[in-house]
Amino acid sequence: MRHRGWPVDASPSALPEPAEAALGITVTDRAVLRDGVPFVPVSGEIHFSRLPRERWGERLRQMRANGVTLASAYVLWLHHSPRRGTAHFDGALDVAAFIDECAAAGLGVVLRIGPWAHGEARNGGFPDWVQDAGVEHRSDDPRYLELVAEWFAQLAAHLDGRARPGGPVLAIQLENELYDRPGHLVTLKRLAREAGMSAPLWTATAWGGADLPAGEVMPLFGGYGDGFWADPQDDWDPSFRAHYFPSHVWDDPGVGADVRAAQGFDAAASGASPDTAALLRGFPPATCELGGGMATAYHRRPVLSGRDVAALAHGKIGNGSAWQGYYMYVGGRNPGPGLQETQATGYPNDMTEWSYDFRAPIGQSGDLHGSAALLRAQHAFLSAFGDRLGGMTSTLPELRADGLDDATTLRWALRSDGSEGFCVITHHQPHIPVQPVRGVQLRVELDDEALLLPRTPIDIPAGTIARWPVGLRVGDARLRWATASALTVLPDGVLVLAADPGIPVEVAVAHEEPRVVTPGLHEIGGVTLLVLADTADAWVLGDELWLCDGQLLWDGSHVEALDATRLRRFDAATRSWVETPVDRPSDAAPVGIRTVREAGDVPADHGFGGQRHSAPAAEVFDSVAAVFRLDLPVWDGDALLDIDWAGDVAQLRVDGATVDDRFWDGTRWSVSLRDVGADAGSTLSLHVLPLSQESTVWLPENVRQSRADAARGAVRSVRLRTRSSSAVVS
């Protein structure tokens, strides 16, 4: 493959406007820059109003330790304003305090102010009084704009200058998924400014063939590996599959297509556009909604593995992404009953009333899901090499898949500026396994050298997610190539690589024969290499490399370890690992389960909205669900319940009040007792509605074998874990 990429001129965009320029932020059609140096922002969605306020700091430090640099958050109007003239910003609704917490954790902020948001919220985030108003919503109808102007004024007054250039708010998103009203986005921008809110960057979601006002907003894209918005009888939709192939098409016609059709926007959506340059209009390809997981609707319950999530994001790096943005990155719970999207409120889907875990990298209980470690390694790479990636374009191989059903052709791309770069291999997809590729050698033609790597052909296993450096400068030396993934560069020029499963680590430097190396420290041709066996326990905090089998929290200076049994830090000065003592977590304790009531009979389904199943009514659930009393052992500190169950719908109740719920998809259900208000004197019960054997709701293939348990509404086990925490001195 010869370095080519798409045509670019690296000229500045229209944003930021001179009056809003701050933080050294500029944008070209290739990269986002700070003080003239490219960097790759990593934004992660976290909804402050769906989290207890006392968890904000902890979650934000978890994000920072996982390599996220920007906290992105909807301000859901519905959560703040129950009636006109009233806006609540207390407790977990205090968005100003949330922004302060972000700044304290060293994170910038992307504020998504709507007014319409979606986010699986009732009315898309409109309060009922706005939804019921006799106005043309999401338009320049003066009656609607009057309502928006009032809301923006309330929000801006509360923020008290925090959303102004120079503060922690790097970007403001206007609306969400608006497709054919570019003038309305300009109006919303004016109203926000008039209220006292602005930022260096204004953004808007661009998928679905959106018509955006040129130069006014930075277009941001999305992509999900699977989604609840497909019909239950549908296979894995092509709009999901496309994200697992190398491509320079950034539009996605599938995201939100069901809601778009219901709201009459489908005629405006043109589908995936091949003319990326015209669609970007001088901005770099960037994302705000790479699926960090997936929510579960009643009718369709997709579960993406950690590798499914990581492969989708990784492919975008190879395709040329200048901004990696995830939805969601931190899961949560709705702040009250009835705030979710439902068919009864005009949406195609019934969502869980309370849970918004989303199977995000950081779940609602604070546990890390399987995607976290894989994404963390990508973020360390982006942090270390973002200044170089900003000057690199993406080149796709001549030999590419001949269609979305091709599972045999190697999937890779080259990010390069002609002198150095990275072979970005992303050979994985959900549901339909790709095949190993035999006898692979990659040919890369840089400006001054043609490289063939590795020395002899190798097999690329299915599931490979790799970033192989080519022509990489490391201090005064140059690494010609390596068949191991670049992770970071430590002080004194230590290049950290990670072995990719099933692939020998081979390294080539100038004037020396390529050699195969094992994990450990190596000096080769003037290059100091630290090769890790994998990145499962690797954490890059600033210029430090840690190995931790639990998880780390970080705010830029202070390190905290959670649930760790072993913690080590690489000392760059001595080129050795330093062991750090930690408080080890205690073993999980079994929770007693007493059957209070057996489940009754359930019908095959509970009705339909169009082709999509409707969730059972509350009276059906309460009369038919099995009821189990939980007898908890005595605990102290921050405790979590791990619930293994099978059925259709389940609720956890504390003293008779529902505090969390799930639609069954076979995944572990973890609940923080502190977050749901449970203490030693609380009565906890699980209510489980069976799933009929005749039900046709869409379930993941690997859980369909448990339908016998689901048909009787079973609680297999419940265990209680107490979280351990250790402050660390680095």
Side-chain angles (χ1 to χ4, degrees), residues 138-491:
R138 308 178 71 190
S139 79
D140 278 355
D141 179 344
R143 299 166 300 166
Y144 172 68
L145 296 181
E146 180 182 347
L147 304 181
V148 174
E150 288 179 12
W151 164 236
F152 279 4
Q154 292 167 333
L155 177 59
H158 167 70
L159 293 177
D160 194 21
R162 288 172 176 83
R164 288 180 181 164
V169 177
L170 178 76
I172 295 176
Q173 178 183 303
L174 299 167
E175 266 293 304
N176 187 47
E177 298 175 351
L178 189 66
Y179 301 97
D180 64 351
R181 296 175 181 175
H184 182 54
L185 292 173
V186 175
T187 300
L188 291 176
K189 185 175 177 180
R190 173 178 59 80
L191 292 178
R193 283 171 164 166
E194 290 174 353
M197 296 182 290
S198 62
L201 299 179
W202 297 86
T203 72
T205 53
W207 51 80
D211 184 8
L212 303 182
E216 294 284 348
V217 292
M218 181 175 177
L220 297 181
F221 298 90
Y224 293 85
D226 202 345
F228 63 79
W229 48 84
D231 287 331
Q233 71 275 13
D234 288 350
D235 196 1
W236 189 35
D237 190 81
S239 65
F240 302 130
R241 298 186 189 204
H243 291 291
Y244 291 92
F245 292 85
S247 170
H248 290 160
V249 174
W250 290 86
D251 195 7
D252 184 327
V255 179
D258 55 348
V259 173
R260 178 164 68 239
Q263 295 181 336
F265 284 120
D266 52 334
S270 61
S273 168
D275 190 355
T276 296
L279 193 62
L280 292 172
R281 294 170 177 158
F283 289 99
T287 61
C288 64
E289 286 201 19
L290 298 176
M294 182 45 56
T296 301
Y298 182 76
H299 74 278
R300 183 177 174 90
R301 309 175 187 189
V303 174
L304 294 166
S305 72
R307 193 160 294 271
D308 297 340
V309 170
L312 184 142
H314 194 258
K316 301 303 182 185
I317 297 173
N319 295 348
S321 174
W323 181 335
Q324 294 286 90
Y326 300 93
Y327 190 99
M328 296 287 296
Y329 207 87
V330 176
R333 289 185 308 124
N334 286 322
L339 296 176
Q340 82 283 15
E341 168 185 322
T342 62
Q343 294 175 353
T345 57
Y347 284 76
N349 314 295
D350 277 337
M351 310 302 293
T352 45
E353 183 172 28
W354 292 93
S355 175
Y356 203 67
D357 179 77
F358 216 87
R359 291 291 297 169
I362 303 171
Q364 71 180 60
S365 67
D367 283 347
L368 299 186
H369 287 147
S371 57
L374 293 166
L375 292 176
R376 188 168 64 241
Q378 296 178 31
H379 303 160
F381 166 77
L382 295 175
S383 177
F385 301 103
D387 57 339
R388 310 190 203 193
L389 290 168
M392 296 177 178
T393 56
S394 167
T395 303
L396 307 182
E398 293 180 2
L399 178 61
R400 299 201 296 277
D402 60 7
L404 297 182
D405 293 328
D406 185 335
T408 61
T409 303
L410 182 66
R411 304 176 188 190
W412 71 291
L414 175 69
R415 283 291 292 268
S416 175
D417 60 5
S419 63
E420 60 179 348
F422 301 92
C423 298
V424 182
I425 303 171
T426 315
H427 195 60
H428 176 82
Q429 65 182 14
H431 300 310
I432 303 171
V434 298
Q435 301 302 308
V437 185
R438 311 294 182 187
V440 172
Q441 279 184 301
L442 303 182
R443 182 176 180 84
V444 176
E445 296 184 24
L446 301 177
D447 291 343
D448 60 353
E449 186 178 14
L451 304 174
L452 190 64
L453 63 153
R455 175 176 41 184
T456 58
I458 61 170
D459 297 340
I460 302 292
T464 296
I465 299 177
R467 301 167 299 280
W468 293 352
V470 290
L472 191 67
R473 299 186 306 276
V474 185
D476 296 329
R478 186 169 182 260
L479 182 69
R480 294 182 66 234
W481 52 262
T483 57
S485 287
L487 182 67
T488 190
V489 179
L490 299 177

Side-chain angles (χ1 to χ4, degrees), residues 539-628:
W539 301 73
V540 179
L541 309 182
D543 59 1
E544 292 187 340
L545 173 63
W546 297 75
L547 295 180
C548 177
D549 61 357
Q551 62 169 308
L552 297 180
L553 285 66
W554 187 54
D555 61 7
S557 55
H558 301 95
V559 180
E560 181 183 355
L562 292 182
D563 299 335
T565 64
R566 191 178 187 191
L567 178 63
R568 293 179 289 164
R569 179 179 60 86
F570 186 77
D571 188 320
T574 63
R575 307 288 174 90
S576 62
W577 292 98
V578 178
E579 197 84 21
T580 299
V582 291
D583 294 329
R584 293 172 175 262
S586 57
D587 293 334
V591 171
I593 304 169
R594 287 187 285 155
T595 301
V596 176
R597 186 182 71 190
E598 298 283 353
D601 294 330
V602 292
D605 59 69
H606 301 275
F608 288 83
Q611 299 185 67
R612 300 186 180 180
H613 303 72
S614 302
E619 55 269 22
V620 173
F621 183 91
D622 286 338
S623 62
V624 178
V627 179
F628 304 91

Side-chain angles (χ1 to χ4, degrees), residues 599-666:
D601 294 330
V602 292
D605 59 69
H606 301 275
F608 288 83
Q611 299 185 67
R612 300 186 180 180
H613 303 72
S614 302
E619 55 269 22
V620 173
F621 183 91
D622 286 338
S623 62
V624 178
V627 179
F628 304 91
R629 171 75 179 268
L630 302 183
D631 296 322
L632 275 62
V634 176
W635 81 87
D636 183 35
D638 196 0
L640 294 88
L641 290 183
D642 291 333
I643 304 167
D644 181 9
W645 70 288
D648 186 12
V649 184
Q651 295 179 355
L652 175 66
R653 299 184 183 182
V654 175
D655 297 328
T658 302
V659 295
D660 202 10
D661 58 356
R662 286 289 192 279
F663 297 149
W664 182 61
D665 60 11

